[in-house]
Amino acid sequence: MPYTEATIRLLSPEGKPVETAENERFRQVIDTLSEERLQDFHRHMVAIRAFDVEAANLQRQGQMALWVPSMGQEAAQVGSAFAARPQDHIFPSYREHVVARIRGVDIMRIIEMMRGLSHGGWDPADHGNFHLYTLVIGSQALHATGYAMGIGLDGACGTGDPERDAAVLVYFGDGATSQGDVSEALVFAASYQTPQVFFVQNNQWAISVPVSTQSRVPLYRRGDGFGIPGTQVDGNDVLAAYAVSLLALDEARNGDGPRLIEAVTYRVGAHTTSDDPTKYRTADEHNTWLARDPIQRYEAFLRDRGASDAYFEEVRSEAADLAADTRRRTLGLGTPKLDAIFDHVYSEPHSGLEAQRAWLKQYEAQMEAGA
């Protein structure tokens, strides 16, 4: 579903500032940012795209079983991630690679997970309160709401102390809004008035089903029936994504209850590397969204502000180094242990699990002998 009259936008597709009465309070947020922070947005978007492309190439070369691209959604993710405070908790789906990086996760941990070397494994407490990736569609909305209920019950929001009050930010896509878990999360969030922001990345497609089939109204209105205010933002505009998210998180932390944001963006690549989007998307649609590329839009904005060619070359070089380092480290990871799937299933030894481990070992030995 495309943009509507309600869409908050601060930059045009050409990178020019957009000034309207409706976006004035969001523009005021951007006016407080330093030039360094404005450049941080760009650095992270360019870097994660280079990482994303390299990771997809590595998967195609047999280094991972699966890769989940984020190309095209960089602005929505970078803007919202920078809007969160250190004490906030973030619950991702499986596509928020740059959010993980901003919150202090070594993004090689994501590579390791997709290679089968771990189940995720980072401790949120040591990684900016960034919780584990969730592959079950929409279930993280329930996890986030439960955590936000705990924050509210502990009195850790609405105290008026911005250094202490906390909120929860949960990410999911347009397809997840069709899942019961998300509706249940909205029910409990509204009932308990949780300090929480639901961040919907509407990338137009739930694998092969368009959002126009999933929802007959814009997704930002999904919260209306639950009593949760919603805002629609141009998800390819990093400044708008930042400002809208910052104000929504502030309201949640202040004890004003949950908020819902729909970031209208586009999944340029496949849903995952096991998907072929040419089977269900037209070339015209794809090209239309390529013209709205969030990185090109923001680069035009920074150039108009006086950013030099040397700056952009420096950013491109940093991104290339990240991609090269990702390849080098991935090729050195080694092969997953055969019986790793049995680790950490139970806290104590379990006879049934040990029998399965022994069976797999015997089976693999027979396969090798037959080969």
Side-chain angles (χ1 to χ4, degrees):
M1 191 166 291
Y3 307 118
T4 70
E5 292 182 357
T7 306
I8 300 299
R9 177 182 291 125
L10 300 180
L11 292 178
S12 72
E14 296 73 35
K16 303 298 183 183
V18 175
E19 298 183 3
T20 66
E22 290 75 19
N23 72 18
E24 181 178 1
R25 69 188 186 108
F26 302 108
R27 284 188 282 114
Q28 291 174 356
V29 171
I30 300 303
D31 289 343
T32 66
L33 295 176
S34 67
E35 199 66 31
E36 181 180 6
R37 178 47 52 93
L38 291 173
Q39 292 185 357
D40 284 341
F41 293 167
H42 180 253
R43 287 181 185 275
H44 276 283
M45 288 196 293
V46 174
I48 208 64
R49 181 168 292 187
F51 165 79
D52 189 27
V53 170
E54 192 64 47
N57 289 339
L58 286 163
Q59 190 281 329
R60 294 303 193 200
Q61 294 162 6
Q63 297 299 322
M64 288 179 283
L66 184 76
W67 184 249
V68 186
S70 63
M71 183 181 294
Q73 300 180 220
E74 296 90 353
Q77 294 186 12
V78 168
S80 56
F82 270 102
R85 287 181 174 269
Q87 68 267 28
D88 293 337
H89 284 258
I90 297 179
F91 288 77
S93 59
Y94 45 72
R95 204 183 299 274
E96 285 70 43
H97 313 320
V98 73
V99 183
R101 186 172 189 248
I102 290 169
R103 297 299 282 196
V105 176
D106 180 350
I107 48 180
M108 282 300 299
R109 303 295 291 273
I110 303 171
I111 298 283
E112 291 169 6
M113 180 175 63
M114 297 297 178
R115 190 178 171 90
L117 291 168
S118 78
H119 302 300
W122 55 82
D123 183 347
D126 297 330
H127 295 85
N129 296 329
F130 185 84
H131 293 255
L132 302 185
Y133 269 25
T134 307
L135 297 180
V136 179
I137 305 298
S139 64
Q140 72 275 15
L142 284 172
H143 306 160
T145 298
Y147 202 98
M149 288 168 61
I151 290 176
L153 293 170
D154 286 345
C157 66
T159 70
D161 182 354
E163 301 305 317
R164 173 176 175 243
D165 287 340
V168 168
L169 175 61
V170 56
Y171 291 92
F172 49 90
D174 50 284
T177 64
S178 299
Q179 295 283 63
D181 283 3
V182 171
S183 290
E184 292 172 14
L186 292 168
V187 167
F188 277 85
S191 298
Y192 283 82
Q193 286 295 282
T194 55
Q196 180 176 8
V197 173
F198 295 88
F199 194 90
V200 185
Q201 293 178 82
N202 176 2
N203 64 20
Q204 310 304 311
W205 291 91
I207 305 184
S208 59
V209 178
V211 70
S212 57
T213 298
Q214 300 172 64
S215 181
R216 301 301 179 181
V217 298
L219 292 177
Y220 79 94
R221 293 180 55 193
R222 186 59 63 89
D224 290 351
F226 301 90
I228 297 176
T231 303
Q232 186 182 70
V233 64
D234 184 341
N236 285 13
D237 176 354
V238 68
L239 298 183
Y242 172 80
V244 169
S245 300
L246 185 139
L247 293 181
L249 284 164
D250 281 350
E251 291 166 352
R253 278 189 227 97
N254 290 341
D256 296 333
R259 299 290 186 266
L260 185 147
I261 297 171
E262 177 198 1
V264 181
T265 182
Y266 191 71
R267 167 169 54 83
V268 171
H271 178 73
T272 70
T273 48
S274 63
D275 169 44
D276 180 3
T278 64
K279 300 294 185 183
Y280 54 84
R281 297 194 313 203
T282 67
D284 286 345
E285 174 193 316
H286 185 73
N287 292 333
T288 296
W289 280 97
L290 285 180
R292 300 169 179 167
D293 181 82
I295 295 178
Q296 292 179 10
R297 177 187 301 198
Y298 197 59
E299 180 172 332
F301 167 74
L302 291 179
R303 286 189 182 278
D304 284 348
R305 292 177 64 90
S308 66
D309 288 340
Y311 160 76
F312 291 108
E313 182 55 38
E314 176 186 324
V315 170
R316 282 190 287 270
S317 177
E318 290 173 359
D321 286 347
L322 175 63
D325 186 60
T326 298
R327 172 167 290 274
R328 177 186 60 79
R329 294 173 68 187
T330 300
L331 295 178
L333 284 175
T335 304
K337 293 192 305 177
L338 175 64
D339 59 353
I341 58 174
F342 301 106
D343 295 342
H344 312 299
V345 176
Y346 294 103
S347 59
E348 302 292 337
H350 188 283
S351 59
L353 197 68
E354 292 307 312
Q356 293 177 27
R357 189 195 300 266
W359 178 90
L360 179 61
K361 184 176 181 180
Q362 181 183 19
Y363 174 81
E364 290 292 335
Q366 291 173 343
M367 293 294 289
E368 290 181 6

